[in-house]
mmCIF file of all heavy atoms in Angstrom:
data_model
loop_
_atom_site.group_PDB
_atom_site.id
_atom_site.type_symbol
_atom_site.label_atom_id
_atom_site.label_comp_id
_atom_site.label_asym_id
_atom_site.label_seq_id
_atom_site.Cartn_x
_atom_site.Cartn_y
_atom_site.Cartn_z
ATOM 1 N N THR A 255 25.130 10.273 11.430
ATOM 2 C CA THR A 255 26.243 9.800 10.610
ATOM 3 C C THR A 255 25.820 8.778 9.565
ATOM 4 O O THR A 255 26.161 8.893 8.390
ATOM 5 C CB THR A 255 27.350 9.193 11.495
ATOM 6 O OG1 THR A 255 27.705 10.117 12.513
ATOM 7 C CG2 THR A 255 28.576 8.857 10.648
ATOM 8 N N ARG A 256 25.084 7.772 9.976
ATOM 9 C CA ARG A 256 24.719 6.679 9.064
ATOM 10 C C ARG A 256 23.223 6.604 8.801
ATOM 11 O O ARG A 256 22.720 5.579 8.341
ATOM 12 C CB ARG A 256 25.221 5.349 9.632
ATOM 13 C CG ARG A 256 26.741 5.278 9.723
ATOM 14 C CD ARG A 256 27.220 3.976 10.379
ATOM 15 N NE ARG A 256 28.667 3.993 10.497
ATOM 16 C CZ ARG A 256 29.333 4.558 11.496
ATOM 17 N NH1 ARG A 256 28.652 5.172 12.468
ATOM 18 N NH2 ARG A 256 30.647 4.532 11.558
ATOM 19 N N CYS A 257 22.527 7.668 9.094
ATOM 20 C CA CYS A 257 21.075 7.694 8.886
ATOM 21 C C CYS A 257 20.720 8.448 7.615
ATOM 22 O O CYS A 257 21.278 9.519 7.346
ATOM 23 C CB CYS A 257 20.368 8.381 10.063
ATOM 24 S SG CYS A 257 20.252 7.387 11.556
ATOM 25 N N SER A 258 19.787 7.901 6.863
ATOM 26 C CA SER A 258 19.220 8.661 5.749
ATOM 27 C C SER A 258 18.326 9.752 6.323
ATOM 28 O O SER A 258 17.955 9.730 7.505
ATOM 29 C CB SER A 258 18.397 7.742 4.853
ATOM 30 O OG SER A 258 17.262 7.254 5.564
ATOM 31 N N ILE A 259 17.953 10.711 5.486
ATOM 32 C CA ILE A 259 17.028 11.757 5.925
ATOM 33 C C ILE A 259 15.709 11.143 6.377
ATOM 34 O O ILE A 259 15.122 11.559 7.377
ATOM 35 C CB ILE A 259 16.780 12.773 4.787
ATOM 36 C CG1 ILE A 259 18.080 13.482 4.406
ATOM 37 C CG2 ILE A 259 15.729 13.793 5.196
ATOM 38 C CD1 ILE A 259 18.748 14.223 5.548
ATOM 39 N N GLU A 260 15.243 10.127 5.647
ATOM 40 C CA GLU A 260 13.989 9.487 6.008
ATOM 41 C C GLU A 260 14.072 8.850 7.395
ATOM 42 O O GLU A 260 13.143 8.948 8.199
ATOM 43 C CB GLU A 260 13.624 8.412 4.972
ATOM 44 C CG GLU A 260 13.328 8.950 3.589
ATOM 45 C CD GLU A 260 14.573 9.116 2.714
ATOM 46 O OE1 GLU A 260 15.711 9.034 3.248
ATOM 47 O OE2 GLU A 260 14.421 9.332 1.508
ATOM 48 N N GLU A 261 15.205 8.175 7.668
ATOM 49 C CA GLU A 261 15.348 7.530 8.973
ATOM 50 C C GLU A 261 15.499 8.565 10.089
ATOM 51 O O GLU A 261 14.947 8.399 11.182
ATOM 52 C CB GLU A 261 16.547 6.585 8.977
ATOM 53 C CG GLU A 261 16.670 5.796 10.270
ATOM 54 C CD GLU A 261 17.811 4.793 10.265
ATOM 55 O OE1 GLU A 261 18.473 4.639 9.219
ATOM 56 O OE2 GLU A 261 18.044 4.170 11.322
ATOM 57 N N LEU A 262 16.256 9.617 9.815
ATOM 58 C CA LEU A 262 16.382 10.683 10.811
ATOM 59 C C LEU A 262 15.015 11.239 11.180
ATOM 60 O O LEU A 262 14.692 11.402 12.365
ATOM 61 C CB LEU A 262 17.261 11.814 10.260
ATOM 62 C CG LEU A 262 18.770 11.694 10.391
ATOM 63 C CD1 LEU A 262 19.441 12.890 9.726
ATOM 64 C CD2 LEU A 262 19.179 11.600 11.851
ATOM 65 N N ALA A 263 14.228 11.545 10.157
ATOM 66 C CA ALA A 263 12.901 12.103 10.406
ATOM 67 C C ALA A 263 12.047 11.150 11.227
ATOM 68 O O ALA A 263 11.354 11.553 12.171
ATOM 69 C CB ALA A 263 12.216 12.426 9.082
ATOM 70 N N SER A 264 12.098 9.873 10.884
ATOM 71 C CA SER A 264 11.296 8.886 11.593
ATOM 72 C C SER A 264 11.738 8.753 13.051
ATOM 73 O O SER A 264 10.905 8.668 13.961
ATOM 74 C CB SER A 264 11.410 7.531 10.891
ATOM 75 O OG SER A 264 10.534 6.588 11.474
ATOM 76 N N ARG A 265 13.048 8.761 13.278
ATOM 77 C CA ARG A 265 13.558 8.651 14.650
ATOM 78 C C ARG A 265 13.148 9.876 15.485
ATOM 79 O O ARG A 265 12.795 9.757 16.667
ATOM 80 C CB ARG A 265 15.074 8.501 14.641
ATOM 81 C CG ARG A 265 15.565 7.136 14.173
ATOM 82 C CD ARG A 265 17.083 7.057 14.181
ATOM 83 N NE ARG A 265 17.555 5.767 13.778
ATOM 84 C CZ ARG A 265 17.707 4.712 14.577
ATOM 85 N NH1 ARG A 265 17.413 4.844 15.865
ATOM 86 N NH2 ARG A 265 18.151 3.559 14.121
ATOM 87 N N ILE A 266 13.220 11.041 14.859
ATOM 88 C CA ILE A 266 12.858 12.271 15.575
ATOM 89 C C ILE A 266 11.364 12.283 15.906
ATOM 90 O O ILE A 266 10.966 12.625 17.028
ATOM 91 C CB ILE A 266 13.245 13.503 14.743
ATOM 92 C CG1 ILE A 266 14.776 13.632 14.687
ATOM 93 C CG2 ILE A 266 12.624 14.777 15.314
ATOM 94 C CD1 ILE A 266 15.267 14.612 13.654
ATOM 95 N N LEU A 267 10.537 11.889 14.953
ATOM 96 C CA LEU A 267 9.096 11.847 15.211
ATOM 97 C C LEU A 267 8.762 10.846 16.313
ATOM 98 O O LEU A 267 7.888 11.087 17.144
ATOM 99 C CB LEU A 267 8.350 11.483 13.926
ATOM 100 C CG LEU A 267 8.310 12.562 12.841
ATOM 101 C CD1 LEU A 267 7.638 12.029 11.593
ATOM 102 C CD2 LEU A 267 7.590 13.801 13.336
ATOM 103 N N ASP A 268 9.456 9.720 16.301
ATOM 104 C CA ASP A 268 9.211 8.713 17.327
ATOM 105 C C ASP A 268 9.617 9.234 18.707
ATOM 106 O O ASP A 268 8.900 9.035 19.697
ATOM 107 C CB ASP A 268 9.995 7.440 16.993
ATOM 108 C CG ASP A 268 9.729 6.319 17.986
ATOM 109 O OD1 ASP A 268 8.564 5.904 18.108
ATOM 110 O OD2 ASP A 268 10.679 5.874 18.654
ATOM 111 N N ALA A 269 10.764 9.910 18.763
ATOM 112 C CA ALA A 269 11.259 10.419 20.051
ATOM 113 C C ALA A 269 10.400 11.556 20.591
ATOM 114 O O ALA A 269 10.168 11.662 21.799
ATOM 115 C CB ALA A 269 12.706 10.869 19.903
#
Side-chain angles (χ1 to χ4, degrees):
T255 308
R256 296 176 183 85
C257 285
S258 65
I259 297 302
E260 295 87 348
E261 185 177 356
L262 275 178
S264 186
R265 287 180 178 275
I266 291 167
L267 289 176
D268 183 60

